[in-house]
Amino acid sequence: NAGVTQTPKFRILKIGQSMTLQCAQDMNHNYMYWYRQDPGMGLKLIYYSVGAGITDKGEVPNGYNVSRSTTEDFPLRLELAAPSQTSVYFCASSSLGGRTEAFFGQGTRLTVV
Amino acid sequence: AQTVTQSQPEMSVQEAETVTLSCTYDTSESNYYLFWYKQPPSRQMILVIRQEAYKQQNATENRFSVNFQKAAKSFSLKISDSQLGDTAMYFCAFMNLQGGSEKLVFGKGTKLTVNP
């Protein structure tokens, strides 16, 4: 059972570089989320999607972009990486929003130097 | 905007004892869900327990139970018979079910250490 798969697990970027964090789920979930977790802190919502073709901003969307062309995939794009984007990124999905459990990926540890 | 506050950054408990983690939230809505998630050192987020706001009965899952006080907007987690494997970060989370905006919002977490 794959669940929610995030790639890569680790990445080091130089300031100004761009990259895409991949997230895929095989549970046919409508809801998908991207969070960042800074050291010793909780999870802050970056973007979320309630279905294919629909995305919306969370608490900290600046510097990020997302797309949701299919139900399965929800990539997160970082343009012009900055040291402030050094964090652990989590992708999550759920079938009926809060009515069911949200499943999380294993996280991507990103360092911007 | 909904906010979730966990006022205890760190807590510790002796093995086999009981510990309660606090959580308060702020919302003007009446229909929502509340969650407690556990994050062990492996970083994996694991759902511990879920409470539906329209249910007055407190949720329980084996050794885990909640004290849900809707009027006070309080949602504490009680862990009974604490085990070494309960050592983890615990996050309280909130999801509003109205307005088509089902964002899952987290508190800053409480680091729980269970001592042998």
Side-chain angles (χ1 to χ4, degrees), chain B residues 9-111:
Chain B
E10 293 192 40
M11 293 192 72
S12 63
V13 64
Q14 292 299 120
E15 195 174 7
E17 293 187 346
T18 296
V19 64
T20 299
L21 308 183
S22 301
C23 173
T24 58
Y25 57 95
D26 184 24
T27 183
S28 57
E29 306 297 339
S30 59
N31 192 17
Y32 52 86
Y33 279 79
L34 294 160
F35 308 85
W36 278 99
Y37 278 87
K38 169 185 176 181
Q39 186 182 43
S42 67
R43 268 189 357 213
Q44 182 65 44
M45 294 290 287
I46 302 165
L47 178 67
V48 174
I49 200 164
R50 175 176 60 228
Q51 175 79 41
E52 299 161 12
Y54 66 87
K55 288 188 176 179
Q56 292 187 338
Q57 186 173 4
N58 289 324
T60 62
E61 288 287 342
N62 300 315
R63 298 183 294 109
F64 299 89
S65 62
V66 298
N67 183 5
F68 174 46
Q69 302 290 326
K70 191 171 184 179
K73 297 180 183 175
S74 171
F75 183 61
S76 60
L77 174 69
K78 186 172 82 171
I79 305 175
S80 304
D81 186 24
S82 297
Q83 300 176 0
L84 297 178
D86 294 334
T87 292
M89 284 289 293
Y90 286 82
F91 294 99
C92 180
F94 170 98
M95 176 177 278
N96 178 30
L97 297 177
Q98 294 170 313
S101 177
E102 298 192 16
K103 295 183 287 188
L104 184 59
V105 178
F106 286 82
K108 292 186 177 181
T110 297
K111 183 179 180 180

Side-chain angles (χ1 to χ4, degrees), chain A residues 49-102:
Chain A
S49 170
V50 299
I54 305 169
T55 62
D56 207 347
K57 296 178 180 179
E59 303 167 80
V60 290
N62 292 343
Y64 307 94
N65 278 300
V66 294
S67 60
R68 185 93 183 272
S69 56
T70 66
T71 298
E72 294 77 19
D73 300 300
F74 190 42
L76 178 71
R77 178 80 176 164
L78 278 73
E79 304 282 1
L80 299 175
S84 61
Q85 293 178 304
T86 293
S87 191
V88 178
Y89 291 83
F90 286 96
C91 179
S93 74
S94 67
S95 63
L96 293 171
R99 296 168 183 80
T100 59
E101 176 182 355

